[in-house]
């Protein structure tokens, strides 16, 4: 019994000591503790407000983009371009980048060089991620397939035909077509072979590949006067 009483007494003294120490800590650092709590709560509140604002802006941008596409589908090209240009100028949402690519595509349908120039602007924009800059270069090269020398296309596009590149399928197809256009069947065949060997080649491209390989087998077209 005496031992139990001694243990209980020790615990009471220990708890009293701890309370006394906490009281002293609070008395000394209460201002700092309150300031830290205010900062933490304010930071959480600010972060949630920022998230909400970002979500709201993204939702508004999505609606703008959908409306622009609707106008384009209704052949209201001027209204669609104006909506896309307004969205492209915002510059802080993914939809602004989509708007810029869509504008370049729309212009490319009307005038290949104007569309290619719009893609050039994307490709040269350091604020755009490298992945999308490569896509812009590839799209510009497609639009210029019939207007520039095959060597220029090859210089731009060959790095994107590497096995690990996200755009390798389109790049290889374009390079093969540049070879066909130049009458260089060996060059064209090399890229078409890579398309055939790649297990991840899209089905639609494999269907076109049958036509391409037949053209390569037929050899250069002889132009007669």
């Amino acid at each position: 019994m005496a031992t139990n009483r001694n243990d209980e007494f020790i615990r009471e003294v220990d708890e009293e000591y701890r309370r006394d120490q906490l009281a002293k800590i609070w008395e000394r650092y209460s201002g700092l503790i309150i300031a830290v709590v205010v900062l933490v709560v304010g930071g959480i509140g600010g972060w949630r407000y920022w998230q909400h604002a970002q979500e709201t802006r993204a939702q508004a941008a999505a609606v703008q983009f959908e409306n622009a596409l609707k106008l384009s589908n209704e052949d209201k090209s001027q209204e669609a371009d104006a909506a896309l240009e307004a969205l492209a100028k915002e510059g802080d949402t993914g939809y602004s980048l989509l708007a810029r690519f869509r504008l370049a595509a729309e212009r490319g349908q009307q005038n290949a060089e104007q569309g290619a120039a719009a893609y050039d602007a994307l490709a040269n924009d350091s604020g755009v991620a490298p992945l999308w800059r490569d896509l812009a270069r590839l799209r510009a090269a497609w639009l210029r397939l019939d207007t520039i020398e095959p060597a220029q296309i090859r210089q731009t596009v060959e790095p994107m035909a590497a096995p690990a590149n996200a755009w390798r399928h389109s790049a290889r197809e374009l390079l093969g077509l540049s070879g066909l256009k130049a009458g260089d069947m060996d060059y064209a065949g090399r890229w078409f072979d890579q398309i055939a060997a790649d297990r991840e080649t899209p089905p639609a491209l494999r269907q076109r590949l049958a036509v391409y390989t037949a053209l390569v087998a037929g050899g250069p077209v002889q132009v007669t006067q």
Side-chain angles (χ1 to χ4, degrees):
M1 293 294 294
T3 300
N4 290 338
R5 290 176 182 175
N6 287 338
D7 291 342
E8 185 178 349
F9 175 75
I10 290 171
R11 282 196 299 271
E12 290 177 357
V13 171
D14 187 48
E15 289 174 2
E16 184 64 29
Y17 174 77
R18 290 178 181 176
R19 283 195 294 269
D20 183 58
Q21 292 299 310
L22 286 173
K24 289 180 179 180
I25 291 172
W26 176 255
E27 181 180 355
R28 185 172 181 179
Y29 298 107
S30 58
L32 179 61
I33 292 171
I34 292 172
V36 170
V37 171
V38 169
L39 286 173
V40 170
V41 172
I44 293 172
W47 171 250
R48 288 182 176 174
Y49 174 79
W50 181 84
Q51 282 185 313
H52 175 72
Q54 290 295 101
E55 289 174 2
T56 301
R57 296 192 71 176
Q59 290 170 1
V63 172
Q64 285 180 267
F65 188 72
E66 289 176 3
N67 289 339
L69 295 184
K70 183 179 178 181
L71 290 169
S72 179
N73 293 333
E74 294 172 352
D75 293 327
K76 299 178 180 178
S77 57
Q78 292 184 344
E79 294 92 333
D81 283 357
L84 289 169
E85 286 173 358
L87 182 56
K89 290 176 181 177
E90 292 189 8
D92 57 353
T93 68
Y95 286 99
S96 67
L97 182 61
L98 283 176
R100 293 177 68 185
F101 270 95
R102 180 71 184 198
L103 277 170
E106 294 281 349
R107 289 171 183 166
Q109 291 178 356
Q110 299 166 11
N111 183 288
E113 185 53 37
Q114 288 183 6
Y119 283 125
D120 287 342
L122 281 159
N124 296 324
D125 187 343
S126 60
V128 175
L131 179 70
W132 306 117
R133 293 172 69 183
D134 277 351
L135 177 60
R137 291 188 186 95
L138 184 59
R139 291 282 179 86
W142 271 103
L143 288 172
R144 290 183 172 126
L145 176 60
D146 294 325
T147 59
I148 65 174
E149 292 297 321
Q152 293 177 267
I153 290 178
R154 297 172 187 181
Q155 183 179 7
T156 301
V157 177
E158 280 188 0
M160 287 180 273
N165 193 283
W167 315 118
R168 66 186 183 277
H169 307 300
S170 292
R172 291 168 180 170
E173 182 177 15
L174 178 54
L175 290 168
L177 289 174
S178 75
L180 288 176
K181 182 175 181 293
D184 188 344
M185 297 304 165
D186 289 338
Y187 184 85
R190 175 155 60 91
W191 293 110
F192 294 145
D193 286 345
Q194 289 196 30
I195 292 172
D198 192 330
R199 295 182 179 179
E200 296 181 358
T201 294
L205 177 53
R206 286 197 181 278
Q207 291 178 358
R208 295 193 296 275
L209 185 61
V211 176
Y212 298 152
T213 52
L215 291 172
V216 170
V221 176
Q222 299 296 324
V223 178
T224 59
Q225 297 294 332

